Amino acid sequence: MNIQQLSKRLETVVSYIPKQSKIADIGSDHAYLPCYAVNKGIASSAIAGEVVKGPFLSAKKQVEDAQLTQEVEVRLGNGLEVIAPGEVECITIAGMGGTLIASILEAGKDKLTNEPRLILQPNVSAKSIRTWLMDNEWDLIGEEILEEDDKLYEILIAEKGNPKGHYSKDIEKELLLGPFLMKEKNSAFIKKWNQELHQWKNILNNMERAEKTEALEQRKNELKEKIKMVEEVLNP
Ligand code: SAM
């Protein structure tokens, strides 16, 4: 991967950036995404945010090497604290856990008052993001799931709006599996949830052999409920 050739995962994230918008890529690491988006004329300019000094310095070097210092600004800081309210029209956050992405959005709510498009790519726990979006009145307008190098990635796109606009009646199930993804049920989706089911059933088997406690029974019931929800979608 480099600034000319992104991974399929990051290229899919970029494909949802509104044309000619100013973007912020939070947790940018090597700054491949903002450099690529600006180079291709997709983003008009970009801020690359990084909280860790090492990746911050490598992002700076990448931008200098690509001669994009006029268009891509690299800033050191935690989450959305690197941007001012209203400064960007689109925010990308990719390659972290869903819980961390949701906590970055929660801590930086005051930076979202101009309602930028959010393009979020959690490595795990997309449910935490869907839940945050719903609780904070963001409309999940699209989702993707894809496989690359034997890993499965989800991408969530949101804009400020009706938080239940794309959900139907079974919200718990849709928060877990994704309202768009569970309708499309592509091969990556089926693979992901079969893997999860396999893992959960193993955990449940181990729990069955452990000493019974109230807490364990509750965990078992929660797990059984999740297994049921996923099986209903995979084998309707
Ligand atoms: N976004 C790139 C991608 O998807 O390929 C890099 C992903 S990398 C695994 C995660 C990056 O997020 C790391 O460089 C880490 O330092 C950064 N990060 C983690 N928490 C952060 C936070 N609260 N604010 C800014 N950056 C953060």
Side-chain angles (χ1 to χ4, degrees):
M1 189 162 56
N2 55 50
I3 68 163
Q4 308 299 338
Q5 179 68 57
L6 288 185
S7 61
K8 185 167 137 193
R9 169 181 68 88
L10 289 183
E11 212 172 274
T12 309
V13 170
V14 168
S15 73
Y16 285 95
I17 296 174
K19 296 284 167 287
Q20 283 303 305
S21 54
K22 176 160 186 180
I23 67 164
D25 182 43
I26 304 301
S28 198
D29 195 355
H30 32 60
Y32 290 155
L33 184 152
C35 289
Y36 176 92
V38 165
N39 247 348
K40 292 269 173 193
I42 297 163
S44 58
S45 63
I47 294 161
E50 248 303 328
V51 74
V52 177
K53 198 74 186 280
F56 163 77
L57 292 174
S58 79
K60 265 185 107 66
K61 183 169 183 318
Q62 179 65 252
V63 171
E64 281 160 15
D65 290 351
Q67 299 185 324
L68 288 173
T69 50
Q70 294 298 308
E71 297 88 354
V72 183
E73 199 183 326
V74 184
R75 298 183 186 169
L76 182 65
N78 189 0
L80 301 184
E81 79 178 21
V82 296
I83 55 169
E87 197 179 3
V88 296
E89 292 134 1
C90 175
I91 296 174
T92 57
I93 313 181
M96 301 176 204
T99 315
L100 177 57
I101 294 178
S103 75
I104 288 174
L105 295 170
E106 178 63 26
K109 267 181 187 174
D110 59 322
K111 307 296 174 64
L112 303 174
T113 45
N114 66 319
E115 305 177 357
R117 173 177 285 198
L118 306 176
I119 311 172
L120 311 165
Q121 185 270 299
N123 289 340
V124 291
S125 192
K127 184 185 176 190
S128 312
I129 298 179
R130 292 190 193 99
T131 306
W132 186 90
L133 293 170
M134 181 161 288
D135 291 348
N136 290 279
E137 303 194 332
W138 288 77
D139 182 10
L140 182 67
I141 60 165
E143 292 177 310
E144 296 259 4
I145 183 163
L146 58 96
E147 181 172 8
E148 184 170 46
D149 299 334
D150 276 333
K151 294 199 187 94
L152 295 153
Y153 299 106
E154 285 170 84
I155 296 165
L156 278 50
I157 305 100
E159 286 181 349
K160 196 75 180 170
N162 178 2
K164 292 191 180 159
H166 291 92
Y167 287 81
S168 51
K169 50 189 179 342
D170 205 343
I171 288 185
E172 262 318 297
K173 200 184 268 176
E174 290 170 312
L175 284 173
L176 179 66
L177 293 132
F180 293 89
L181 303 179
M182 62 185 262
K183 261 190 219 129
E184 188 192 350
K185 275 205 266 184
N186 71 10
S187 57
F189 176 91
I190 290 169
K191 187 167 181 181
K192 175 189 166 73
W193 290 106
N194 273 319
Q195 283 178 359
E196 295 283 351
L197 274 181
H198 182 72
Q199 249 182 21
W200 291 344
K201 286 180 180 174
N202 277 342
I203 296 171
L204 199 57
N205 272 341
N206 290 335
M207 284 175 163
E208 302 286 5
R209 282 188 240 116
E211 195 185 327
K212 279 194 171 62
T213 65
E214 210 175 301
L216 187 73
E217 284 307 301
Q218 193 185 332
R219 272 279 292 135
K220 266 167 54 179
N221 288 337
E222 285 165 7
L223 209 46
K224 281 181 187 166
E225 187 52 38
K226 286 208 294 188
I227 290 172
K228 185 167 160 276
M229 281 200 279
V230 173
E231 281 182 335
E232 279 169 4
V233 173
L234 291 187
N235 316 303

